[in-house]
Amino acid sequence: MINFSEMEQKWQKAWADSKIFEVEPNDKPSFMVFAAFPYVNTPLHIGHLRTYAIADTLARYERMRGYNVLFAMGFHATGTPVLAFAKRIKNNDMEIIDELKMFHIPEEEIAKMVDPEYITDYFSKTGEESFRISGLSIDFRRKFISIEPFFSKFVEWQFGKLNEQNLLVKGRHPVGWCPNENNPVGMHDTKHDVEPEIEEETAIAFKVEGEDAYLLCTTYRPETVFGVTNLFVNRDSSYVLCTIDDSQKKYYISKESSSILSYQFKINVIKEVSGKELIDKTCINPVNNSKVPVYHGFFVKPSTGTGVVMSVPAHAPFDYVALERLKKEGIPVPVPIPVLKLNATQNQSQLKEIKEDIPLAKAYLDLLGVSDDASEEAIESVTKLEYKEESRYGVMIVKGYENMPEPEARERIREKLLSDGNAIKVYLLANAPVYCRCGAEIVVKIVDDQWFLNYGDEAWKAKVREHLKSMRLVPEKTRSEFEYTVEWLSLRAVARAQGLGTRFPLDQRYIIESLSDSTIYPAFYTISHILRNVEVEKLRPEFFDYVFLGKGDIDSVSKSTGIDYDVIKRCRESFDYWYRNTSNHSGSDLVQNHLTMYIFNHVAIFPKEYWPKQIVTNGMLLNEGEKMSKSLGNIVPLKDGISQYGVDPLRIYSVANADIYSDEDFSVSAVKGIQERLDYIYNACMNLDSLGSGELKPIDYWLYSKLSKKIESATKSMDDLSYRSAYQSILYDSILELKRYFARGGNNAIVVKDFLTSVVLMLQPVAPHFAEEAWHLLGNNTFASMEKWPESKKDLINEKLEKLEEAIDSTIEDAKMVIGLMERKGKKVSKVGIIIASKWKYDLYNKLAEYKDQSKVLAELGKEVSSEVASKYLSQLSKGHTELSKLESGEEDEFEEFTDAAKYISSILGKEVIIEKEENSKSERASRAMPLKPSLDLS
RNA sequence: GCAGGGGUGGCAGAGUCUGGCCAAAUGCGGCGGGCUUAGGACCCGUUCCCUUUGUGGGUGCGUGAGUUCAAAUCUCACCCCCUGCACCA
């Protein structure tokens, strides 16, 4: 068995010593590969390997195809995670400490991780180490961390460029907010890690009759405003009359909501009233001026929305039930007014029959058997079903909106209400209540002085859309997701109050948000190693303008910045050379944010020739069907995985075992299977000396034919990044072919060496250490990593021979089956007769293939066979509709090939084998022989 | 809800774009056999059902319908699963 770790260390050292992956511009075409920044506070586990292994496979392949390839990497450290990490260590949080111990991080190191700087330092070092032992062909000189001062200079320049184009805007934005701590809250700041889900709702104003005031109702379904029969308030709650923002209108809303909404609006309370007082009032429906009374709604919660609800008993189970309960109290209640019906033609709702005279809300209550006095949960479930089905099958019956599907009507009516000034937008927490870790209940706040990057800018979007069309996306099916994201991105907040990173140039109080500072970072790889020797203060905008945009000239830039002429020149040349042909690699989860922003920012900042060319995304590596996660404790640290299985088997597994886009499951037995296959190839290389020499036999040509085809198809697959199918053929199939070659009597050292040489070179991109080792075993002394990808020799492809060999295999299969049957029946088989079809059968076969018409073939029949026999044969051939194609081999070829293979067949079957021609055979089964399907006679 | 991906044999996972050579690659697992002191490794056979001196038939690729001489593959509807939905890396 190969000692993987010994072998891997040997070649990693050799690559590092020879600096073959430290690249500079030369006269070859360039190709630059980079993979998403790993975040610097997590040790790498085998789940991380996949993206990098795929990127490296591409890098190594393109290198073999004649490109000068740069593979670069760096680390991401901006934002709050590193700070949060340090805080947790400081608080002696055992969860995180145990996790670090799982990665074998010594306690004394963990102790030092109270210092953020130490964290980034430690993980960037160990991270690099992990990349090195993964055999990635990275130019490590260019590594940087996103919080290094020289990178900040670059980000400042980037934001300057965005600002020049007016893409940075200041505005309002709703966020989850803790009123106690006065801080925005994300998922990580809440109890039980719930994401505060902010929902935009409509609040419709109903004028109070005879009073200069409105009742403000929040609703999810503005389209039902036409069906409002009354309003509901809670008679036991307190309400206030107030103004909202600068409007002159006065509104009644619940007291609780007035304080919740005060984070969104300027609310000025005029007076407090009780719910009871409101019940005496009558309101006017803004859409049809109908008079609607105000009732007590048992389900109305003052903390939800505005604490005022519009009642649509025809379509809302709660409203219907509330009115029924009031009826029992002897209060006269209104008749439901329907606004939509279920579309009869498409209706697949759970309602078995729809009775026109029963309100849908009632129909759904009956369907689920929920009575008027049921629990709120029960009514809630009816509501869910009804809303879902009405939204799917419902069409409006309201005048002016007839037959309009419900979702469309909802939007239209909402827009109308807003533009007429009859409604206002409010934000609610959809999953309220959500609590901050401090215990306070979270509200929605609108922050005013937030800076945004305006991805909604139409001109910008248009450029992105256009460029996206020309980009290569792998796999292609991610395109629709990109397109969707381009449309969906609008304002993105780019300034944060806390965290590591670059100060926001337009307001020094803020830090640039951490996804926004890493959108064009790959460009920095082209010059980062050069800038290591330049003082940070010298990296003024005009330097970057020249390097990335070609603005100005070296002399003046050199004068104003103090940077050496040659350094500037070298930077410009390096960027211009490397950044034209790039491939960005990442996990598929980044399509919706980072990767799309990557395109946006490039398009905004760089000249067109440097825009992104290719994005490759891959699925996750799972462990036993579960995402590898700290909480599940199923993480295999990368270093452990490598020392246990060897990095090459892991690389092959993560690159070639599954379709690139789908998630794959980590399987120890599959990795072992790969080790064994590498071992087989390794041994084959070792044992070349024991093979013979001499003239080439058919089986040698067969192997050459297989090899040539393999190179051809593998090359195509590699070009398509279909690594799975490429390595299926390069690794798995090659071994099956070699095994068959030897079994079939192949024994030619030169042929096998040619075969292995190509296979080993083709393995180089995924299994570089192994390939180097095998390459040297085969007598070479160069680096396989720098060799050329093998060329297919088309003239060695021999379909005829392959068909004949296939015929031999299928004959063996048939014989095995029949022997099995006979022996099960107690008949002993000692001899297998293989009878090759007569020449005339080949002739007729070819004619039929050509004419596709039996009668035409029969018309030309010669004397060697009766028309009766011939037509029977022909009809057998045309059985099934598969088209026949002309045979390349004839009777003689087949006879010779089978004769040659007799020993092979005999050895597999364990029986004596006799090959004969149909015309020479005395067997009664002889006539059953067909071209490439000899008849069998067992005795 | 919106968007994206997916549902194939005991399991994993190809095949779907470009319909036929697909009872469906490959791997794992199971079973039987060989080798071995034994285990591992390795090698051979087998792994939907029926039938058979053969290359035949049936059922079958989430469910239902359709197109076609022919459907895992194309069309439509439905059901189910996974992922993402923003200021968070």
Side-chain angles (χ1 to χ4, degrees), chain A residues 11 158 175 225 310-311 316 318 345 390 399 411 444 507 511 517 556 567 584 623 651 688 711 729 835 916 932 935:
Chain A
W11 292 109
Q158 172 190 2
V175 293
V225 68
M310 61 186 211
S311 165
F318 272 107
T345 52
E390 286 189 351
K399 198 162 157 260
E411 272 316 300
V444 180
D507 188 339
I511 302 283
D517 72 9
S556 55
V567 169
N584 189 352
N623 200 355
R651 287 174 57 125
L688 269 182
I711 295 173
S729 140
I835 302 151
E916 52 189 2
L932 296 178
S935 175

Side-chain angles (χ1 to χ4, degrees), chain A residues 730-743:
Chain A
I730 293 169
L731 184 62
Y732 292 76
D733 294 350
S734 293
I735 289 172
L736 295 177
E737 283 150 15
L738 269 180
K739 285 183 178 173
R740 185 178 188 282
Y741 170 82
F742 292 127

Side-chain angles (χ1 to χ4, degrees), chain A residues 21 79 115 136 146 156 257 322 375 762 812 836 900 916 930:
Chain A
F21 302 129
D115 173 13
L136 304 176
S146 63
E156 282 166 20
S257 71
S375 68
M762 289 193 288
I812 291 171
I836 310 293
D900 182 64
E916 52 189 2
M930 309 266 264

Side-chain angles (χ1 to χ4, degrees), chain A residues 371-388:
Chain A
S371 63
D372 297 343
D373 48 8
S375 68
E376 292 198 19
E377 290 79 52
I379 305 171
E380 183 61 38
S381 65
V382 177
T383 305
K384 272 197 178 142
L385 177 67
E386 178 173 1
Y387 281 15
K388 182 177 156 191

